[in-house]
Amino acid sequence: MVDLPVSLDSLKPVSLTSSLVFLMHLLLLQPGEPSSEVKVLGPEYPILALVGEEVEFLCHLWPQLDAQKMEICWFQSHTLNVVHLYQEQQELPGRQMQAFRNRTKLVKDDIAYGSVVLQLHSIVPSDKGIYGCRFHSDNFSGEAFWELEVAALGSDPHLFLEGFKEGGIQLRLRSSGWYPKPKVQWRDHQGQCLPPEFEAIVWDAQGLFSLETSVVVREGALSNVSVSIQNLLLSQKKEFVVQIADVFVPGASPWKSAFVATLPPLLLVLAALALGFLQKQRRSREKLKKQAEKRQEKLTAELEKLQTELDWRRAEGQAECFILASHTPGEGIQAASNSTTTLNA
């Protein structure tokens, strides 16, 4: 993937855009405006914003003039499309267009010097267009206009090898999230353009462009094949390079035809062997698990049996001691008599 550097500040207005902005300025200029005394200044060049990011619109009076009690309105295309409205020293979000609600923030730290900044968050493709800001008071009204360009560099391309088709190899590419409409180009190893077999670039639900394109690479266009997707507004592109060996491109030779005819069944056989091997491994693991469980059960049963026998033997040993003690009472009496005699002596 190759990304070309881009400078957002280098974007200059085209002649058509400049003419349109100048025409709108003439149409909206109020009669009797003291333009020679006070002017409204906005961005000098078109602003380039990326989808999902934030952009700032700076407007100020020249020479400096306190604008705290003025009405300041930002609008899109014409004054009825209110982007943000400041009136009677307060902001009026209820007057905004629905598309801009909860997406704007007014920075008025320098409003006393006639300078204000409007921040627009979460840029979307529909934000593209002509914008203006108007300062209005009892004795002054003036506007400034500029253009907002919107761009998005899409996702990394997903490249697929579809298989053999029409004597060659079919490659397919998909990508999404582009704005404006991107340019797609396939090239061979010599840099020559390869005509796409199929190409579709459509809008998605977010107003961005998604694309799908495919090409059939035939013998003679071997080695490196590249595909690039370019955003002309950003002067950036994403590029993939695919290396294709000659052996994979079917030709007229018999061995290549045989290879093409044999490859699909061979792949199926390999897949079947792999599946059988995996199933065999799974059955073997299940069998070993069952054997281990049986050995554990058998061992537990033997331990219980030994414990029972040990308890029985202990009980038998106590019983024998009791029997011996109960069959020698005379000896015990005689011993006691001897002891008594000895004491009398």
Side-chain angles (χ1 to χ4, degrees):
M1 182 181 67
V2 177
D3 291 339
L4 302 180
V6 62
S7 174
L8 301 186
D9 295 333
S10 64
L11 186 64
K12 302 297 181 182
V14 296
S15 57
L16 180 60
T17 301
S18 300
S19 301
L20 180 59
V21 171
F22 179 73
L23 179 60
M24 292 185 66
H25 179 75
L26 292 179
L27 292 175
L28 293 176
L29 196 63
Q30 298 294 330
E33 172 192 347
S35 58
S36 59
E37 299 178 3
V38 181
K39 295 182 179 179
V40 179
L41 301 179
E44 183 179 0
Y45 299 110
I47 299 174
L48 179 57
L50 298 178
V51 170
E53 296 191 356
E54 174 186 307
V55 68
E56 291 187 347
F57 301 143
L58 169 64
C59 289
H60 63 279
L61 299 175
W62 183 259
Q64 294 180 357
L65 186 66
D66 188 353
Q68 295 184 80
K69 295 184 179 181
M70 290 187 179
E71 176 186 300
I72 308 174
C73 179
W74 283 263
F75 53 90
Q76 186 184 43
S77 300
H78 55 78
T79 54
L80 295 179
N81 295 334
V82 177
V83 176
H84 197 96
L85 179 61
Y86 172 84
Q87 190 178 60
E88 297 179 353
Q89 302 187 43
Q90 61 180 345
E91 300 172 49
L92 302 177
R95 297 282 297 277
Q96 288 179 297
M97 294 174 58
Q98 184 64 38
F100 294 100
R101 291 186 180 179
N102 301 317
R103 294 176 55 212
T104 58
K105 179 182 179 181
L106 178 60
V107 181
K108 50 183 186 292
D109 297 342
D110 297 322
I111 193 171
Y113 303 100
S115 180
V116 286
V117 176
L118 183 69
Q119 297 175 346
L120 178 59
H121 306 278
S122 305
I123 294 295
V124 294
S126 59
D127 291 335
K128 173 186 175 183
I130 302 297
Y131 286 78
C133 64
R134 180 183 65 186
F135 287 72
H136 178 76
S137 66
D138 293 338
N139 56 3
F140 169 76
S141 183
E143 299 89 10
F145 303 93
W146 63 93
E147 183 182 11
L148 176 64
E149 290 281 1
V150 177
L153 193 64
S155 63
D156 289 337
H158 296 280
L159 191 63
F160 306 91
L161 177 62
E162 295 292 331
F164 297 110
K165 184 177 182 180
E166 300 175 358
I169 290 181
Q170 184 184 32
L171 301 175
R172 186 177 300 274
L173 177 139
R174 296 189 184 99
S175 184
S176 61
W178 294 85
Y179 194 86
K181 186 177 180 179
K183 179 181 179 181
V184 186
Q185 185 65 68
W186 294 90
R187 295 183 183 275
D188 62 15
H189 65 291
Q190 295 180 339
Q192 299 297 320
C193 294
L194 296 175
E197 177 209 25
F198 169 81
E199 182 175 300
I201 303 177
V202 297
W203 265 320
D204 61 20
Q206 289 73 39
L208 302 174
F209 287 96
S210 297
L211 64 94
E212 181 174 346
T213 178
S214 66
V215 69
V216 176
V217 182
R218 296 179 176 86
E219 190 173 13
L222 306 179
S223 187
N224 293 345
V225 176
S226 67
V227 57
S228 64
I229 311 173
Q230 185 174 9
N231 186 312
L232 299 178
L233 186 59
L234 292 175
S235 298
Q236 290 185 335
K237 67 179 180 180
K238 294 192 174 184
E239 185 173 23
F240 265 8
V241 178
V242 184
Q243 292 187 348
I244 302 178
D246 180 68
V247 69
F248 289 107
V249 180
S253 61
W255 72 267
K256 288 185 178 179
S257 300
F259 176 77
V260 175
T262 306
L263 184 59
L266 179 61
L267 292 176
L268 291 175
V269 171
L270 292 175
L273 290 175
L275 181 60
F277 177 74
L278 293 176
Q279 291 178 344
K280 184 177 180 180
Q281 277 193 329
R282 180 172 57 82
R283 288 194 298 267
S284 178
R285 287 195 298 267
E286 292 177 353
K287 183 177 180 180
L288 290 174
K289 183 179 178 181
K290 290 181 179 179
Q291 290 177 351
E293 291 176 352
K294 289 182 178 179
R295 285 197 298 268
Q296 183 65 30
E297 292 176 357
K298 184 177 180 180
L299 181 60
T300 303
E302 290 179 354
L303 289 175
E304 291 178 353
K305 182 178 179 180
L306 289 174
Q307 184 64 43
T308 302
E309 185 176 354
L310 181 60
D311 293 341
W312 179 81
R313 288 184 178 277
R314 287 176 178 173
E316 285 292 322
Q318 292 178 359
E320 289 178 358
C321 292
F322 177 77
I323 292 172
L324 290 174
S326 61
H327 281 77
T328 56
E331 294 177 0
I333 295 171
Q334 183 64 37
S337 301
N338 294 335
S339 300
T340 303
T341 307
T342 303
L343 288 175
N344 292 332

